[in-house]
mmCIF file of all heavy atoms in Angstrom:
data_model
loop_
_atom_site.group_PDB
_atom_site.id
_atom_site.type_symbol
_atom_site.label_atom_id
_atom_site.label_comp_id
_atom_site.label_asym_id
_atom_site.label_seq_id
_atom_site.Cartn_x
_atom_site.Cartn_y
_atom_site.Cartn_z
ATOM 1 N N LEU E 141 30.520 33.303 21.436
ATOM 2 C CA LEU E 141 29.754 34.349 21.803
ATOM 3 C C LEU E 141 29.213 35.079 20.597
ATOM 4 O O LEU E 141 28.013 35.421 20.590
ATOM 5 C CB LEU E 141 30.570 35.331 22.489
ATOM 6 C CG LEU E 141 29.967 36.619 23.104
ATOM 7 C CD1 LEU E 141 28.874 36.297 24.037
ATOM 8 C CD2 LEU E 141 31.057 37.517 23.637
ATOM 9 N N THR E 142 29.909 35.366 19.613
ATOM 10 C CA THR E 142 29.444 36.102 18.374
ATOM 11 C C THR E 142 28.379 35.258 17.760
ATOM 12 O O THR E 142 27.423 35.782 17.139
ATOM 13 C CB THR E 142 30.639 36.451 17.436
ATOM 14 O OG1 THR E 142 31.249 35.164 16.984
ATOM 15 C CG2 THR E 142 31.529 37.391 18.019
ATOM 16 N N SER E 143 28.487 33.911 17.850
ATOM 17 C CA SER E 143 27.438 33.083 17.245
ATOM 18 C C SER E 143 26.117 33.218 17.931
ATOM 19 O O SER E 143 25.049 33.369 17.386
ATOM 20 C CB SER E 143 27.836 31.600 17.266
ATOM 21 O OG SER E 143 26.807 30.812 16.749
ATOM 22 N N ILE E 144 26.159 33.208 19.314
ATOM 23 C CA ILE E 144 24.904 33.289 19.993
ATOM 24 C C ILE E 144 24.216 34.720 19.965
ATOM 25 O O ILE E 144 23.058 34.886 20.049
ATOM 26 C CB ILE E 144 25.038 32.814 21.522
ATOM 27 C CG1 ILE E 144 25.834 33.736 22.401
ATOM 28 C CG2 ILE E 144 25.423 31.362 21.592
ATOM 29 C CD1 ILE E 144 25.850 33.385 23.826
ATOM 30 N N LEU E 145 25.119 35.692 19.690
ATOM 31 C CA LEU E 145 24.517 36.953 19.569
ATOM 32 C C LEU E 145 23.806 37.274 18.222
ATOM 33 O O LEU E 145 23.176 38.286 18.071
ATOM 34 C CB LEU E 145 25.684 38.064 19.793
ATOM 35 C CG LEU E 145 26.137 38.210 21.151
ATOM 36 C CD1 LEU E 145 27.381 39.242 21.278
ATOM 37 C CD2 LEU E 145 25.015 38.862 22.128
ATOM 38 N N SER E 146 24.210 36.410 17.273
ATOM 39 C CA SER E 146 23.543 36.673 15.919
ATOM 40 C C SER E 146 22.435 35.534 15.656
ATOM 41 O O SER E 146 21.794 35.576 14.731
ATOM 42 C CB SER E 146 24.598 36.596 14.787
ATOM 43 O OG SER E 146 25.281 35.464 14.777
ATOM 44 N N LYS E 147 22.360 34.618 16.596
ATOM 45 C CA LYS E 147 21.370 33.522 16.522
ATOM 46 C C LYS E 147 20.587 33.493 17.786
ATOM 47 O O LYS E 147 19.848 34.401 18.238
ATOM 48 C CB LYS E 147 21.970 32.231 16.142
ATOM 49 C CG LYS E 147 22.666 32.278 14.817
ATOM 50 C CD LYS E 147 23.357 30.943 14.524
ATOM 51 C CE LYS E 147 24.081 31.105 13.252
ATOM 52 N NZ LYS E 147 25.037 30.046 13.126
ATOM 53 N N SER E 148 20.990 32.557 18.752
ATOM 54 C CA SER E 148 20.624 32.430 20.099
ATOM 55 C C SER E 148 21.363 31.330 20.739
ATOM 56 O O SER E 148 21.852 30.432 20.033
ATOM 57 C CB SER E 148 19.025 32.303 20.316
ATOM 58 O OG SER E 148 18.771 30.951 19.834
ATOM 59 N N GLY E 149 21.389 31.360 22.052
ATOM 60 C CA GLY E 149 22.147 30.256 22.827
ATOM 61 C C GLY E 149 22.713 30.762 24.164
ATOM 62 O O GLY E 149 22.414 31.909 24.536
ATOM 63 N N THR E 150 23.187 29.772 24.878
ATOM 64 C CA THR E 150 23.721 30.051 26.192
ATOM 65 C C THR E 150 25.169 29.582 26.263
ATOM 66 O O THR E 150 25.592 28.535 25.683
ATOM 67 C CB THR E 150 22.873 29.325 27.233
ATOM 68 O OG1 THR E 150 21.520 29.643 27.065
ATOM 69 C CG2 THR E 150 23.331 29.646 28.708
ATOM 70 N N LEU E 151 25.986 30.338 27.049
ATOM 71 C CA LEU E 151 27.359 30.137 27.203
ATOM 72 C C LEU E 151 27.738 30.280 28.593
ATOM 73 O O LEU E 151 27.216 31.184 29.372
ATOM 74 C CB LEU E 151 28.177 31.254 26.479
ATOM 75 C CG LEU E 151 29.719 31.244 26.527
ATOM 76 C CD1 LEU E 151 30.388 30.049 26.139
ATOM 77 C CD2 LEU E 151 30.269 32.464 25.871
ATOM 78 N N TYR E 152 28.432 29.273 29.234
ATOM 79 C CA TYR E 152 28.709 29.273 30.644
ATOM 80 C C TYR E 152 30.168 29.654 30.903
ATOM 81 O O TYR E 152 31.103 28.951 30.274
ATOM 82 C CB TYR E 152 28.393 27.894 31.297
ATOM 83 C CG TYR E 152 26.915 27.774 31.284
ATOM 84 C CD1 TYR E 152 26.312 26.930 30.302
ATOM 85 C CD2 TYR E 152 26.091 28.199 32.351
ATOM 86 C CE1 TYR E 152 24.928 26.707 30.200
ATOM 87 C CE2 TYR E 152 24.674 27.916 32.295
ATOM 88 C CZ TYR E 152 24.239 27.161 31.308
ATOM 89 O OH TYR E 152 22.798 27.030 31.263
ATOM 90 N N LEU E 153 30.482 30.698 31.576
ATOM 91 C CA LEU E 153 31.825 31.065 31.949
ATOM 92 C C LEU E 153 31.793 31.278 33.421
ATOM 93 O O LEU E 153 31.554 32.295 34.016
ATOM 94 C CB LEU E 153 32.226 32.476 31.275
ATOM 95 C CG LEU E 153 32.175 32.590 29.801
ATOM 96 C CD1 LEU E 153 32.503 33.881 29.274
ATOM 97 C CD2 LEU E 153 33.277 31.666 29.182
ATOM 98 N N ASP E 154 32.120 30.227 34.133
ATOM 99 C CA ASP E 154 32.011 30.205 35.601
ATOM 100 C C ASP E 154 32.650 31.437 36.171
ATOM 101 O O ASP E 154 33.799 31.671 35.875
ATOM 102 C CB ASP E 154 32.540 28.891 36.150
ATOM 103 C CG ASP E 154 32.286 28.733 37.569
ATOM 104 O OD1 ASP E 154 31.160 28.968 38.017
ATOM 105 O OD2 ASP E 154 33.140 28.152 38.251
ATOM 106 N N PRO E 155 31.928 32.229 36.899
ATOM 107 C CA PRO E 155 30.686 32.046 37.518
ATOM 108 C C PRO E 155 29.431 32.724 36.761
ATOM 109 O O PRO E 155 28.409 33.014 37.428
ATOM 110 C CB PRO E 155 30.773 32.717 38.808
ATOM 111 C CG PRO E 155 31.659 33.931 38.589
ATOM 112 C CD PRO E 155 32.641 33.358 37.508
ATOM 113 N N PHE E 156 29.642 33.014 35.519
ATOM 114 C CA PHE E 156 28.669 33.748 34.660
ATOM 115 C C PHE E 156 27.884 32.828 33.837
ATOM 116 O O PHE E 156 28.457 31.863 33.279
ATOM 117 C CB PHE E 156 29.341 34.780 33.770
ATOM 118 C CG PHE E 156 30.195 35.799 34.585
ATOM 119 C CD1 PHE E 156 31.514 35.649 34.690
ATOM 120 C CD2 PHE E 156 29.532 36.998 35.097
ATOM 121 C CE1 PHE E 156 32.245 36.655 35.435
ATOM 122 C CE2 PHE E 156 30.285 37.915 35.797
ATOM 123 C CZ PHE E 156 31.638 37.762 35.958
ATOM 124 N N ARG E 157 26.656 33.253 33.524
ATOM 125 C CA ARG E 157 25.828 32.518 32.502
ATOM 126 C C ARG E 157 25.538 33.661 31.538
ATOM 127 O O ARG E 157 25.028 34.711 31.834
ATOM 128 C CB ARG E 157 24.517 31.933 33.125
ATOM 129 C CG ARG E 157 23.724 31.225 32.034
ATOM 130 C CD ARG E 157 22.484 30.659 32.549
ATOM 131 N NE ARG E 157 21.378 31.633 32.557
ATOM 132 C CZ ARG E 157 20.718 32.116 33.605
ATOM 133 N NH1 ARG E 157 21.055 31.662 34.812
ATOM 134 N NH2 ARG E 157 19.774 33.012 33.471
ATOM 135 N N ILE E 158 25.904 33.454 30.278
ATOM 136 C CA ILE E 158 25.670 34.412 29.203
ATOM 137 C C ILE E 158 24.590 33.853 28.234
ATOM 138 O O ILE E 158 24.762 32.731 27.717
ATOM 139 C CB ILE E 158 26.959 34.662 28.475
ATOM 140 C CG1 ILE E 158 27.902 35.257 29.457
ATOM 141 C CG2 ILE E 158 26.745 35.669 27.311
ATOM 142 C CD1 ILE E 158 29.432 35.399 28.928
ATOM 143 N N GLU E 159 23.629 34.617 27.978
ATOM 144 C CA GLU E 159 22.642 34.255 27.068
ATOM 145 C C GLU E 159 22.578 35.266 25.927
ATOM 146 O O GLU E 159 22.683 36.423 26.181
ATOM 147 C CB GLU E 159 21.157 34.297 27.725
ATOM 148 C CG GLU E 159 21.168 33.047 28.753
ATOM 149 C CD GLU E 159 19.741 33.049 29.416
ATOM 150 O OE1 GLU E 159 18.728 33.769 28.892
ATOM 151 O OE2 GLU E 159 19.556 32.395 30.391
ATOM 152 N N GLY E 160 22.385 34.836 24.782
ATOM 153 C CA GLY E 160 22.336 35.650 23.618
ATOM 154 C C GLY E 160 21.111 35.430 22.689
ATOM 155 O O GLY E 160 20.723 34.284 22.604
ATOM 156 N N GLN E 161 20.666 36.422 22.180
ATOM 157 C CA GLN E 161 19.662 36.459 21.114
ATOM 158 C C GLN E 161 20.002 37.315 20.181
ATOM 159 O O GLN E 161 21.032 38.139 20.230
ATOM 160 C CB GLN E 161 18.309 36.724 21.647
ATOM 161 C CG GLN E 161 17.736 35.985 22.818
ATOM 162 C CD GLN E 161 16.479 36.544 23.334
ATOM 163 O OE1 GLN E 161 15.928 37.510 22.809
ATOM 164 N NE2 GLN E 161 15.924 35.996 24.421
ATOM 165 N N PHE E 162 19.340 37.411 18.995
ATOM 166 C CA PHE E 162 19.667 38.290 17.863
ATOM 167 C C PHE E 162 19.748 39.643 18.418
ATOM 168 O O PHE E 162 18.586 40.265 18.715
ATOM 169 C CB PHE E 162 18.591 38.094 16.767
ATOM 170 C CG PHE E 162 19.065 38.795 15.447
ATOM 171 C CD1 PHE E 162 19.871 38.008 14.675
ATOM 172 C CD2 PHE E 162 18.506 40.034 15.092
ATOM 173 C CE1 PHE E 162 20.151 38.617 13.379
ATOM 174 C CE2 PHE E 162 18.890 40.589 13.962
ATOM 175 C CZ PHE E 162 19.630 39.961 13.164
ATOM 176 N N GLY E 163 20.931 40.294 18.440
ATOM 177 C CA GLY E 163 21.072 41.653 18.813
ATOM 178 C C GLY E 163 20.885 42.024 20.384
ATOM 179 O O GLY E 163 20.703 43.057 20.744
ATOM 180 N N CYS E 164 21.000 40.888 21.300
ATOM 181 C CA CYS E 164 20.756 41.044 22.584
ATOM 182 C C CYS E 164 21.711 40.202 23.443
ATOM 183 O O CYS E 164 21.863 39.002 23.057
ATOM 184 C CB CYS E 164 19.221 40.734 22.977
ATOM 185 S SG CYS E 164 18.798 40.828 24.602
ATOM 186 N N LEU E 165 22.191 40.694 24.494
ATOM 187 C CA LEU E 165 23.199 39.894 25.427
ATOM 188 C C LEU E 165 22.595 40.112 26.792
ATOM 189 O O LEU E 165 22.330 41.219 27.249
ATOM 190 C CB LEU E 165 24.569 40.596 25.329
ATOM 191 C CG LEU E 165 25.652 39.947 26.325
ATOM 192 C CD1 LEU E 165 25.988 38.660 25.952
ATOM 193 C CD2 LEU E 165 26.883 40.965 26.480
ATOM 194 N N LYS E 166 22.626 38.916 27.478
ATOM 195 C CA LYS E 166 22.336 38.895 28.949
ATOM 196 C C LYS E 166 23.356 38.186 29.686
ATOM 197 O O LYS E 166 23.847 37.156 29.200
ATOM 198 C CB LYS E 166 20.950 38.138 29.193
ATOM 199 C CG LYS E 166 19.718 38.808 28.495
ATOM 200 C CD LYS E 166 18.475 38.107 28.714
ATOM 201 C CE LYS E 166 18.181 37.018 27.666
ATOM 202 N NZ LYS E 166 16.898 36.404 27.838
ATOM 203 N N VAL E 167 23.826 38.733 30.753
ATOM 204 C CA VAL E 167 24.850 38.241 31.529
ATOM 205 C C VAL E 167 24.294 38.111 32.970
ATOM 206 O O VAL E 167 23.879 39.107 33.572
ATOM 207 C CB VAL E 167 26.152 39.120 31.618
ATOM 208 C CG1 VAL E 167 27.267 38.425 32.437
ATOM 209 C CG2 VAL E 167 26.768 39.290 30.101
ATOM 210 N N PHE E 168 24.445 36.948 33.581
ATOM 211 C CA PHE E 168 23.897 36.612 34.939
ATOM 212 C C PHE E 168 25.038 36.094 35.765
ATOM 213 O O PHE E 168 25.916 35.463 35.382
ATOM 214 C CB PHE E 168 22.830 35.531 34.933
ATOM 215 C CG PHE E 168 21.610 35.941 34.054
ATOM 216 C CD1 PHE E 168 21.511 35.418 32.795
ATOM 217 C CD2 PHE E 168 20.636 36.749 34.563
ATOM 218 C CE1 PHE E 168 20.483 35.779 31.980
ATOM 219 C CE2 PHE E 168 19.527 37.073 33.796
ATOM 220 C CZ PHE E 168 19.441 36.543 32.494
ATOM 221 N N PHE E 169 25.030 36.715 37.043
ATOM 222 C CA PHE E 169 26.043 36.438 38.098
ATOM 223 C C PHE E 169 25.390 36.427 39.463
ATOM 224 O O PHE E 169 24.596 37.255 39.873
ATOM 225 C CB PHE E 169 27.003 37.668 37.931
ATOM 226 C CG PHE E 169 28.052 37.652 39.018
ATOM 227 C CD1 PHE E 169 29.126 36.788 39.086
ATOM 228 C CD2 PHE E 169 27.971 38.687 40.015
ATOM 229 C CE1 PHE E 169 30.045 36.795 40.184
ATOM 230 C CE2 PHE E 169 28.915 38.708 41.070
ATOM 231 C CZ PHE E 169 29.903 37.855 41.071
ATOM 232 N N ASP E 170 25.824 35.359 40.224
ATOM 233 C CA ASP E 170 25.362 35.295 41.649
ATOM 234 C C ASP E 170 26.426 35.906 42.480
ATOM 235 O O ASP E 170 27.637 35.424 42.421
ATOM 236 C CB ASP E 170 25.141 33.845 42.016
ATOM 237 C CG ASP E 170 23.910 33.262 41.349
ATOM 238 O OD1 ASP E 170 22.895 34.017 41.159
ATOM 239 O OD2 ASP E 170 23.873 32.035 41.000
ATOM 240 N N THR E 171 26.149 36.872 43.308
ATOM 241 C CA THR E 171 27.027 37.608 44.151
ATOM 242 C C THR E 171 27.335 36.644 45.423
ATOM 243 O O THR E 171 26.661 35.745 45.624
ATOM 244 C CB THR E 171 26.551 38.947 44.652
ATOM 245 O OG1 THR E 171 25.355 38.729 45.454
ATOM 246 C CG2 THR E 171 26.143 39.831 43.409
ATOM 247 N N GLU E 172 28.376 37.073 46.181
ATOM 248 C CA GLU E 172 28.795 36.448 47.377
ATOM 249 C C GLU E 172 27.594 36.630 48.399
ATOM 250 O O GLU E 172 27.422 35.874 49.392
ATOM 251 C CB GLU E 172 29.986 36.808 47.967
ATOM 252 C CG GLU E 172 31.188 36.391 47.106
ATOM 253 C CD GLU E 172 32.518 36.907 47.710
ATOM 254 O OE1 GLU E 172 32.546 37.435 48.775
ATOM 255 O OE2 GLU E 172 33.538 36.686 46.965
ATOM 256 N N LYS E 173 26.764 37.575 48.310
ATOM 257 C CA LYS E 173 25.635 37.944 49.188
ATOM 258 C C LYS E 173 24.396 37.073 48.775
ATOM 259 O O LYS E 173 23.406 37.263 49.371
ATOM 260 C CB LYS E 173 25.280 39.346 49.240
ATOM 261 C CG LYS E 173 26.423 40.234 49.758
ATOM 262 C CD LYS E 173 26.019 41.590 49.751
ATOM 263 C CE LYS E 173 27.145 42.552 50.223
ATOM 264 N NZ LYS E 173 26.834 44.016 50.061
ATOM 265 N N GLY E 174 24.439 36.319 47.685
ATOM 266 C CA GLY E 174 23.356 35.480 47.191
ATOM 267 C C GLY E 174 22.380 36.257 46.306
ATOM 268 O O GLY E 174 21.321 35.725 46.053
ATOM 269 N N GLU E 175 22.740 37.411 45.841
ATOM 270 C CA GLU E 175 21.893 38.174 44.935
ATOM 271 C C GLU E 175 22.229 37.648 43.506
ATOM 272 O O GLU E 175 23.312 37.307 43.177
ATOM 273 C CB GLU E 175 22.336 39.629 44.960
ATOM 274 C CG GLU E 175 22.206 40.284 46.309
ATOM 275 C CD GLU E 175 22.828 41.611 46.323
ATOM 276 O OE1 GLU E 175 24.063 41.763 46.089
ATOM 277 O OE2 GLU E 175 22.077 42.682 46.473
ATOM 278 N N ASN E 176 21.167 37.584 42.712
ATOM 279 C CA ASN E 176 21.278 37.149 41.252
ATOM 280 C C ASN E 176 21.235 38.491 40.535
ATOM 281 O O ASN E 176 20.187 39.110 40.516
ATOM 282 C CB ASN E 176 20.218 36.192 40.848
ATOM 283 C CG ASN E 176 20.403 35.790 39.383
ATOM 284 O OD1 ASN E 176 19.992 36.368 38.509
ATOM 285 N ND2 ASN E 176 21.123 34.722 39.286
ATOM 286 N N VAL E 177 22.375 38.809 39.840
ATOM 287 C CA VAL E 177 22.454 40.010 39.084
ATOM 288 C C VAL E 177 22.367 39.741 37.608
ATOM 289 O O VAL E 177 23.049 38.729 37.120
ATOM 290 C CB VAL E 177 23.811 40.726 39.391
ATOM 291 C CG1 VAL E 177 23.998 41.926 38.579
ATOM 292 C CG2 VAL E 177 23.985 41.002 40.938
ATOM 293 N N GLY E 178 21.564 40.413 36.934
ATOM 294 C CA GLY E 178 21.396 40.311 35.612
ATOM 295 C C GLY E 178 21.635 41.572 34.791
ATOM 296 O O GLY E 178 21.089 42.616 35.104
ATOM 297 N N VAL E 179 22.452 41.478 33.742
ATOM 298 C CA VAL E 179 22.703 42.695 32.915
ATOM 299 C C VAL E 179 22.144 42.384 31.513
ATOM 300 O O VAL E 179 22.481 41.337 30.997
ATOM 301 C CB VAL E 179 24.276 42.965 32.882
ATOM 302 C CG1 VAL E 179 24.523 44.139 31.919
ATOM 303 C CG2 VAL E 179 24.847 43.249 34.228
ATOM 304 N N TYR E 180 21.466 43.299 31.104
ATOM 305 C CA TYR E 180 20.798 43.143 29.723
ATOM 306 C C TYR E 180 21.207 44.257 28.762
ATOM 307 O O TYR E 180 21.178 45.433 29.211
ATOM 308 C CB TYR E 180 19.261 43.274 29.869
ATOM 309 C CG TYR E 180 18.600 42.133 30.751
ATOM 310 C CD1 TYR E 180 18.769 42.193 32.089
ATOM 311 C CD2 TYR E 180 18.005 41.078 30.079
ATOM 312 C CE1 TYR E 180 18.175 41.179 32.849
ATOM 313 C CE2 TYR E 180 17.357 40.111 30.890
ATOM 314 C CZ TYR E 180 17.566 40.115 32.280
ATOM 315 O OH TYR E 180 16.978 39.134 33.009
ATOM 316 N N ILE E 181 21.757 43.878 27.627
ATOM 317 C CA ILE E 181 22.152 44.910 26.595
ATOM 318 C C ILE E 181 21.379 44.577 25.348
ATOM 319 O O ILE E 181 21.585 43.551 24.705
ATOM 320 C CB ILE E 181 23.732 44.835 26.433
ATOM 321 C CG1 ILE E 181 24.487 45.064 27.679
ATOM 322 C CG2 ILE E 181 24.073 45.826 25.312
ATOM 323 C CD1 ILE E 181 25.940 44.724 27.649
ATOM 324 N N LYS E 182 20.437 45.408 25.043
ATOM 325 C CA LYS E 182 19.533 45.283 23.974
ATOM 326 C C LYS E 182 19.983 46.232 22.879
ATOM 327 O O LYS E 182 19.838 47.466 23.205
ATOM 328 C CB LYS E 182 18.149 45.389 24.249
ATOM 329 C CG LYS E 182 17.178 45.161 23.282
ATOM 330 C CD LYS E 182 15.792 45.082 23.666
ATOM 331 C CE LYS E 182 15.262 46.375 24.234
ATOM 332 N NZ LYS E 182 13.865 46.346 24.559
ATOM 333 N N THR E 183 20.347 45.923 21.689
ATOM 334 C CA THR E 183 20.621 46.809 20.555
ATOM 335 C C THR E 183 19.419 47.150 19.811
ATOM 336 O O THR E 183 18.371 46.353 19.872
ATOM 337 C CB THR E 183 21.720 46.114 19.605
ATOM 338 O OG1 THR E 183 21.125 45.103 18.894
ATOM 339 C CG2 THR E 183 22.933 45.589 20.424
ATOM 340 N N PRO E 184 19.362 48.006 19.032
ATOM 341 C CA PRO E 184 18.234 48.450 18.082
ATOM 342 C C PRO E 184 17.864 47.269 17.158
ATOM 343 O O PRO E 184 16.820 47.246 16.625
ATOM 344 C CB PRO E 184 18.630 49.624 17.319
ATOM 345 C CG PRO E 184 19.797 50.281 18.084
ATOM 346 C CD PRO E 184 20.499 49.072 18.830
ATOM 347 N N PHE E 185 18.767 46.284 17.016
ATOM 348 C CA PHE E 185 18.443 45.159 16.146
ATOM 349 C C PHE E 185 17.816 43.993 16.885
ATOM 350 O O PHE E 185 17.622 42.952 16.126
ATOM 351 C CB PHE E 185 19.807 44.683 15.471
ATOM 352 C CG PHE E 185 20.547 45.843 14.764
ATOM 353 C CD1 PHE E 185 21.638 46.525 15.329
ATOM 354 C CD2 PHE E 185 20.209 46.216 13.564
ATOM 355 C CE1 PHE E 185 22.268 47.607 14.743
ATOM 356 C CE2 PHE E 185 20.767 47.261 12.917
ATOM 357 C CZ PHE E 185 21.849 47.953 13.502
#
Side-chain angles (χ1 to χ4, degrees):
L141 178 66
T142 57
S143 177
I144 67 172
L145 287 169
S146 61
K147 298 175 186 168
S148 69
T150 303
L151 173 63
Y152 294 93
L153 298 173
D154 191 40
F156 301 98
R157 184 179 86 241
I158 300 172
E159 295 179 7
Q161 297 175 8
F162 193 81
C164 184
L165 174 74
K166 298 182 268 189
V167 180
F168 299 97
F169 168 72
D170 291 325
T171 69
E172 291 181 7
K173 296 178 183 177
E175 302 168 296
N176 184 272
V177 176
V179 175
Y180 298 75
I181 301 170
K182 182 171 65 173
T183 72
F185 305 100

